[in-house]
Amino acid sequence: MNYLNIALPKGRLGEKAYGMLKQAGYACPAIEQDSRKLIFENEALGVRYFWAKPSDVATYVERGAADIGVTGKDILLEYTPDVYELLDLNIGKCRMCVAAKADFRDDKTRTLTVATKFSNIAKEYYSALGRDIDIIPLHGSIEIAPVIQLSDVIVDIVETGTTLKENNLAVTDTVVNISARLIANKSSFKFKSEEIENICKKLSAEEEKQ
Amino acid sequence: MMETYLKNEEKVVFSLRSIYEQFGYRKYKMNQFEEYELYVRNKDFLLSDAVITFTDTNGKLMAMKPDVTLSIIKNSENKPNSIQKLYYNENVYRVSRHSDSFKEIMQVGLECIGDIDSYCIYEVVMLAAKSLRAVSENAILDISHMGILSDIIDALSLSGAQCKQILKCIEEKNLHELTNLCEAFGVEAQSSLLLQDLIKLYGKAATVLPQLEKILKNTCAWESFLELKEIVELAAGSDIEDSLRIDFSVINDLKYYNGIIFRGFIEGIPAAVLSGGQYDKLMRKMKREFGAVGFAVYLDLFEQFFKTEAPYDTDYLLLYEKSESPQNIRKAVEALSKKGSVLALRKMPEQLKYKTLVTLKNGEVITTDELS
């Protein structure tokens, strides 16, 4: 059977996205049972879901292992996969921000050190401002970088700002607003266009209801 | 028999060559190297701007070809009233987007250069569609007209960076971002809606053309629309009609491409395997007084598509003792090679998959039918 393969990000965002897909008529009861399985099928509807690491969803879709997927705009901006971005699902909303110690003074005569998981987004942002920066790539606990003087600022995702506050950091600028997007493999879109367009229409209606 | 041992990618190259020859295109053979300067001047035309360079014996900085089209134009004669129809089958050297390192890629393509008319453009589109069909029945050729988008976007009086952002949204079918950008850039509602309609329109000519005609009538893109219509309608009733789709997400660089552009997809291959279009602007840049249209087929993408060719490495594995006479081995190999591929060895190799094991002992052949 020629399934429509859908990659979802593991975690809260993926569960929310599945909720929308279910409401739109693409339920898969097996996925709702507590299990360690990663792939789930609904033969009657011809859909196959799988859970992937959030930052890998775009890769699955770009390489055609998944026809469509749900991923954050942050991942799309950072990795620039060659995919179609069909819908803003308006879930998982947050901001990509520059944050620094509350008392930080930006000395523009010096190179700015930036700790981040999102090197490409940070490079592009500062290049548009004409600012010379030194990127310090980190993979987690970004907030401690300015505190222990590893960097002047951080570029990271901010949801509520609680973690920043607890580490005596404050947002200095917003780089871009982030939310979850429905993406599609370019080739799959050609050969499964009806199924993908249907899903899009129904999800769009769901998104408007929310 | 020889054809049995050719890889599917190699068979594809032969069938593409025969299609192009059938329509009068002649093979163009060129040097592996080109002066680096050619690529510096036309960096944006390349898929990736990284080029392998070396200094020649005369001190000139040379490059391993990352592209064939530029060399063909450079070597073309500047005769405005003639038409040259050429195809090539060459290795090019480019950085792979995924491995971030240089790769040797076999590329097949064709160019129609000179005083090109509508038929020439149609013929190249038709050959692009036939090239895809030579690989698989399940193939789609997306077609668009660069002029339609550039006419509309030029009229918006946006900055270069803003135009780039708008084009990127169209390329990604990103309706929500396009709407936001148009609002942010102060694009008037009518033009914004027109661009949104172009993103949404996708499909076979019979469905899309009438809708397109309605929305583009009385706009600055009308002339370009008529050109697209003419080419698409030429395909009506032909065997390529079914594989053609109008899709404005096909976008090539505005600095080089002006007219019809297209991109080819094959079911099972996740990215476009063919890309091409009319590039008169590149011709002007290279001081040629005529037009050109062409395409390239990216054969490296076929490797994954054809990966399950044979379940074993050889039909017959012939094992013989050290004491065996070469004469006996020769006779056994000759006999087996009439039935299939044969690998003669003294020792059983590791991890070799074979269909039939044949052992040779003092001239006696013992066959064990099994699939290892």
Side-chain angles (χ1 to χ4, degrees):
Chain A
M1 181 168 180
N2 201 5
Y3 281 96
L4 184 73
N5 296 301
I6 308 172
L8 293 176
K10 264 189 267 180
R12 248 187 317 154
L13 180 65
E15 282 159 21
K16 246 183 177 175
Y18 170 70
M20 284 178 81
L21 283 156
K22 185 183 172 185
Q23 289 299 319
Y26 298 91
C28 184
I31 212 169
E32 293 165 46
Q33 288 157 15
D34 197 19
S35 126
R36 282 174 171 252
K37 267 174 70 175
L38 295 171
I39 302 179
F40 305 89
E41 287 169 1
N42 184 336
E43 208 180 325
L45 292 174
V47 290
R48 179 188 289 130
Y49 286 100
F50 54 89
W51 295 116
K53 190 175 168 182
S55 55
D56 290 341
V57 168
T59 308
Y60 282 100
V61 175
E62 186 183 25
R63 296 296 194 114
D67 299 308
I68 57 172
V70 173
T71 191
K73 182 68 181 175
D74 50 331
I75 302 296
L76 298 176
L77 289 170
E78 181 62 21
Y79 300 105
T80 58
D82 188 17
V83 294
Y84 288 137
E85 187 184 319
L86 300 177
L87 210 58
D88 183 350
L89 295 173
N90 276 317
I91 52 171
K93 282 186 175 180
C94 52
R95 290 182 297 158
M96 180 71 67
C97 291
V98 180
K101 281 207 283 189
D103 59 355
F104 173 68
R105 185 185 77 84
D106 188 3
D107 179 358
K108 293 204 164 89
T109 61
R110 292 174 48 240
T111 300
L112 188 74
T113 51
V114 184
T116 186
K117 266 194 275 188
F118 302 95
S119 305
N120 293 329
I121 294 178
K123 270 183 219 164
E124 190 141 323
Y125 174 70
Y126 283 105
S127 141
L129 295 176
R131 187 76 204 268
D132 183 33
I133 59 162
D134 185 11
I135 295 266
I136 300 166
L138 295 179
H139 299 99
S141 304
I142 316 287
E143 294 84 1
I144 61 167
V147 181
I148 57 168
Q149 285 164 2
L150 176 65
S151 74
D152 297 322
V153 298
I154 61 170
V155 168
D156 204 13
I157 287 172
V158 178
E159 273 179 77
T160 57
T162 318
T163 320
L164 291 183
K165 230 181 231 169
E166 281 174 6
N167 287 290
N168 194 28
L169 299 180
V171 170
T172 59
D173 289 292
T174 298
V175 177
V176 63
N177 288 318
I178 306 287
S179 57
R181 311 293 161 103
L182 180 76
I183 57 170
N185 174 270
K186 288 193 170 178
S187 185
S188 299
F189 186 87
K190 317 288 161 195
F191 299 99
K192 296 180 179 174
S193 55
E194 211 182 309
E195 295 97 310
I196 295 178
E197 275 172 9
N198 273 340
I199 261 195
C200 247
K201 266 184 216 151
K202 288 178 185 163
L203 274 179
S204 185
E206 276 311 306
E207 184 259 311
E208 272 167 31
K209 270 191 230 162
Q210 290 199 350
Chain B
M1 189 77 169
M2 195 182 88
E3 216 172 88
T4 325
Y5 300 119
L6 285 177
K7 288 174 95 179
N8 280 320
E9 295 95 298
E10 290 163 330
K11 287 182 202 162
V12 167
V13 173
F14 284 125
S15 32
L16 295 183
R17 286 176 58 172
S18 89
I19 294 170
Y20 307 154
E21 293 267 354
Q22 195 190 354
F23 286 85
Y25 286 71
R26 290 286 159 259
K27 190 161 191 286
Y28 188 89
K29 177 79 194 147
M30 66 194 79
N31 198 332
Q32 274 307 90
F33 316 127
E34 194 64 77
E35 280 187 40
Y36 178 60
E37 202 195 337
L38 175 68
Y39 305 114
V40 176
R41 273 187 275 127
N42 302 289
K43 221 166 65 179
D44 298 340
F45 185 73
L46 306 175
L47 288 176
S48 122
D49 54 9
V51 178
I52 303 176
T53 57
F54 64 96
T55 310
D56 210 347
T57 47
N58 58 8
K60 271 193 179 156
L61 188 59
M62 304 296 284
M64 304 275 283
K65 272 194 319 247
D67 162 88
V68 181
T69 307
L70 289 173
S71 304
I72 292 185
I73 303 172
K74 195 195 88 180
N75 299 326
S76 66
E77 290 174 53
N78 201 0
K79 280 192 202 158
N81 293 321
S82 68
I83 288 186
Q84 295 175 70
K85 294 185 177 185
L86 310 160
Y87 78 89
Y88 58 85
N89 173 14
E90 298 275 337
N91 281 325
V92 292
Y93 303 86
R94 278 205 285 264
V95 172
S96 145
R97 177 178 151 85
H98 297 294
S99 70
D100 219 14
S101 57
F102 278 103
K103 284 210 154 169
E104 184 183 61
I105 298 163
M106 171 67 88
Q107 191 170 299
V108 177
L110 63 78
E111 316 287 347
C112 180
I113 297 176
D115 188 16
I116 55 167
D117 51 27
S118 301
Y119 173 74
C120 295
I121 299 171
Y122 164 73
E123 188 179 74
V124 171
V125 170
M126 177 266 290
L127 288 170
K130 277 186 183 288
S131 302
L132 297 172
R133 297 284 283 271
V135 182
S136 165
E137 281 292 303
N138 298 324
I140 281 175
L141 187 74
D142 279 348
I143 184 166
S144 174
H145 193 296
M146 211 57 221
I148 295 180
L149 288 179
S150 66
D151 293 343
I152 297 170
I153 292 173
D154 284 351
L156 302 178
S157 320
L158 299 174
S159 73
Q162 289 172 329
C163 287
K164 247 186 176 172
Q165 280 177 272
I166 298 267
L167 281 172
K168 191 168 179 281
C169 286
I170 298 171
E171 195 173 14
E172 289 173 351
K173 290 187 183 284
N174 191 339
L175 198 60
H176 47 277
E177 207 85 48
L178 177 85
T179 316
N180 293 342
L181 282 181
C182 283
E183 210 181 302
F185 297 160
V187 172
E188 59 177 76
Q190 203 184 354
S191 305
S192 171
L193 286 173
L194 184 56
L195 290 172
Q196 289 173 41
D197 283 343
L198 290 183
I199 286 193
K200 286 188 247 171
L201 276 178
Y202 168 80
K204 290 192 177 180
T207 329
V208 176
L209 273 182
Q211 298 179 56
L212 210 48
E213 189 157 357
K214 223 186 270 173
I215 63 166
L216 292 178
K217 197 141 205 169
N218 302 322
T219 68
C220 52
W222 183 246
E223 287 299 314
S224 300
F225 165 73
L226 291 179
E227 279 179 36
L228 174 68
K229 189 173 178 233
E230 186 182 17
I231 301 302
V232 173
E233 283 183 346
L234 271 168
S238 75
D239 58 352
I240 66 153
E241 185 186 10
D242 235 25
S243 41
L244 278 191
R245 303 280 186 280
I246 295 176
D247 189 331
F248 290 95
S249 72
V250 178
I251 285 179
N252 283 344
D253 199 315
L254 279 170
K255 285 201 292 290
Y256 302 104
Y257 290 89
N258 54 304
I260 293 290
I261 46 170
F262 45 88
R263 205 152 287 169
F265 294 87
I266 284 171
E267 189 168 19
I269 301 181
V273 295
L274 181 150
S275 175
Q278 193 183 344
Y279 50 89
D280 297 352
K281 286 188 184 169
L282 173 66
M283 299 296 282
R284 304 276 172 283
K285 217 169 162 245
M286 292 182 75
K287 311 273 184 282
R288 296 295 189 274
E289 290 152 25
F290 41 82
V293 56
F295 64 81
V297 184
Y298 309 124
L299 293 171
D300 53 319
L301 294 169
F302 293 152
E303 206 173 279
Q304 288 297 313
F305 182 63
F306 290 128
K307 64 186 164 193
T308 48
E309 272 181 73
Y312 41 82
D313 301 306
T314 182
D315 291 330
Y316 296 97
L317 172 64
L318 176 72
L319 286 182
Y320 57 89
E321 303 276 328
K322 197 176 180 182
S323 56
E324 195 61 61
S325 96
Q327 197 64 258
N328 287 341
I329 303 168
R330 197 204 83 192
K331 277 183 194 159
V333 168
E334 273 177 6
L336 290 171
S337 67
K338 282 181 187 144
K339 297 189 278 180
S341 60
V342 48
L343 174 64
L345 292 171
R346 254 195 358 241
K347 261 188 189 168
M348 174 76 82
E350 277 177 33
Q351 294 183 338
L352 180 94
K353 298 254 181 201
Y354 53 85
K355 191 174 163 195
T356 308
L357 176 67
V358 180
T359 29
L360 192 61
K361 250 184 190 162
N362 302 322
E364 198 189 330
V365 172
I366 305 150
T367 306
T368 323
D369 268 321
E370 63 172 298
L371 188 68
S372 92

